[in-house]
Amino acid sequence: FFIETTTAVLLLLHLFFVKMVCIRMATVNDLLQMQTTNLWCLPENYQMKYYFYHMLSWPQLLWVAEDSDGKVVGYVLAKMEEDESQPPHGHITSLAVLRTHRKRGIATMLMRRSQVEMATVFGAHFVSLHVRKSNRAAFHLYTETLKYAINDVEKGYYADGEDAYDMRCTFPHKNKNDLESIVQNLSVMKLENKASA
């Protein structure tokens, strides 16, 4: 009985510590692990100079999920678009979470943190992204959880010729009260992240 109980307790402790993930702003020291995560998860890969470019230009928009061992298990790479013909808006360049850490809400937390910074720091009106038409899991995340809508279909967008959905999420901060609401939600998310860390 003692051995069975001890085994059960150890298993529960293992599950508890495995689930601990901290969402934090990325630093330059995270870029290599972000690139490694990208290589493990996605067919669209980038040279290190592209990560550096994002870090130097929009450091507030790069976020990582770090496990209790200090390993990066997910990231979001984002930027502000420089198209002056449109209102200020952000773009999600890349989002990835290791398969071992999926279905825990990590991608949602990463996206929301980056989006809040786009709105509050850069005054973005909306955020855009591209997703493969065949990527049903990502499409569900974007449409159902994060409330993105299809803006267009870009034929042959990806290197292998697959089409992409061009998606957008509009930020509801047309007045000061809406902006304060976003900041309050950010504060709640910070408390939840600390509680789970």
Side-chain angles (χ1 to χ4, degrees):
F1 175 76
F2 175 76
I3 293 175
E4 289 176 6
T5 304
T6 305
T7 303
V9 168
L10 289 174
L11 179 60
L12 287 173
L13 285 172
H14 173 73
L15 290 173
F16 174 76
F17 284 111
V18 165
K19 289 186 178 182
M20 286 183 32
V21 172
C22 171
I23 306 295
R24 63 170 175 78
M25 195 177 291
T27 69
V28 69
N29 295 325
D30 297 314
L31 295 182
L32 189 58
Q33 286 193 70
M34 289 170 68
Q35 185 184 43
T36 302
T37 302
N38 171 268
L39 291 169
W40 273 107
C41 297
L42 300 171
E44 296 77 41
N45 309 127
Y46 310 102
Q47 294 182 10
M48 183 53 70
K49 65 183 178 181
Y50 196 58
Y51 292 89
F52 273 114
Y53 170 64
H54 280 69
M55 176 62 71
L56 292 170
S57 303
W58 310 280
Q60 302 92 333
L61 304 184
L62 281 67
W63 290 80
V64 294
E66 181 182 63
D67 71 8
S68 56
D69 295 324
K71 178 183 176 184
V72 171
V73 297
Y75 73 87
V76 61
L77 185 69
K79 64 180 182 175
M80 291 301 295
E81 293 286 18
E82 297 166 349
D83 181 357
E84 294 181 6
S85 69
Q86 293 187 329
H89 64 283
H91 183 77
I92 303 296
T93 304
S94 182
L95 170 71
V97 176
L98 291 178
R99 191 171 298 278
T100 54
H101 287 73
R102 291 181 188 168
K103 303 290 186 192
R104 299 183 190 183
I106 294 171
T108 300
M109 287 188 287
L110 289 167
M111 289 285 287
R112 287 189 173 149
R113 286 309 312 248
S114 188
Q115 290 176 180
V116 166
E117 300 298 322
M118 287 176 192
T120 58
V121 176
F122 295 100
H125 290 226
F126 66 90
V127 58
S128 64
L129 58 79
H130 292 97
V131 62
R132 288 176 176 270
K133 287 183 76 175
S134 64
N135 191 342
R136 302 312 300 166
F139 184 78
H140 184 270
L141 168 69
Y142 299 139
T143 56
E144 299 299 321
T145 305
L146 297 170
K147 306 306 178 194
Y148 278 71
I150 297 171
N151 180 59
D152 198 4
V153 176
E154 297 199 21
K155 298 287 185 186
Y157 178 82
Y158 291 100
D160 61 4
E162 184 173 350
D163 297 345
Y165 289 122
D166 170 13
M167 305 190 77
R168 289 187 181 180
C169 177
T170 303
F171 299 141
H173 71 284
K174 294 182 178 70
N175 60 52
K176 188 179 178 204
N177 291 336
D178 289 334
L179 186 57
E180 288 173 0
S181 173
I182 290 173
V183 173
Q184 285 178 338
N185 288 339
L186 171 61
S187 299
V188 170
M189 287 171 59
K190 281 182 179 176
L191 292 174
E192 288 173 353
N193 290 342
K194 284 181 182 176
S196 67

